[in-house]
Amino acid sequence: QVQLVESGGGLVQAGGSLRLSCAASGRTFSNYAMGWFRQAPGKEREFVAAFSRSGSFRYYADSVKGRFTISRNNAQITVYLQMNSLKPEDTAVYYCAARSGIHSVVAAEYDYWGQGTQVTVSS
């Protein structure tokens, strides 16, 4: 069982930055592919970024490429999402997720989810 806890959300002006954190309780991410997803009101949950299970590869949605960076600490206990040049359309609840298989951009293929953290970008 993996428990994930996100933090770092908040209110920021357009063009600003935030860093989200996802901490795993009692586990490392070494056996899991990790992903960040987001869900805006009235919309489906969408892929944002992901690590491969080895951590060697990173994948990004086209909408965030060049602005967001996924990373993790050396102990592989915390995964981060650095978000720069934020836009109002980035406003959503952001979720961290883990799956025991290879990485995926499909939310339904992830086994574990955090509770989400709200990110609001004002214009």
Side-chain angles (χ1 to χ4, degrees):
Q1 186 75 13
V2 176
Q3 292 183 326
L4 305 173
V5 179
E6 303 98 334
S7 61
L11 173 64
V12 64
Q13 288 189 332
S17 299
L18 283 174
R19 188 176 80 157
L20 306 183
S21 299
C22 172
S25 60
R27 296 268 183 158
T28 69
F29 297 122
S30 58
N31 295 321
Y32 297 90
M34 301 299 302
W36 284 97
F37 288 78
R38 66 186 182 186
Q39 188 166 19
K43 294 187 176 181
E44 293 189 354
R45 195 166 296 189
E46 66 173 0
F47 170 75
V48 176
F51 262 121
S52 63
R53 189 165 59 180
S54 69
S56 300
F57 301 98
R58 306 177 189 186
Y59 305 89
Y60 297 96
D62 288 342
S63 59
V64 306
K65 203 171 293 183
R67 300 187 298 123
F68 290 11
T69 303
I70 189 172
S71 63
R72 64 189 186 188
N73 65 358
N74 290 336
Q76 301 186 58
I77 296 176
T78 305
V79 174
Y80 304 99
L81 185 68
Q82 177 67 42
M83 306 186 295
N84 299 328
S85 302
L86 282 162
K87 305 175 181 180
E89 51 263 44
D90 294 319
T91 295
V93 177
Y94 283 71
Y95 298 90
C96 176
R99 70 187 303 261
S100 57
I102 62 173
H103 81 283
S104 172
V105 301
V106 179
E109 295 182 352
Y110 281 76
D111 304 307
Y112 304 102
W113 292 87
Q115 82 288 352
T117 185
Q118 176 71 47
V119 171
T120 303
V121 184
S122 63
S123 56

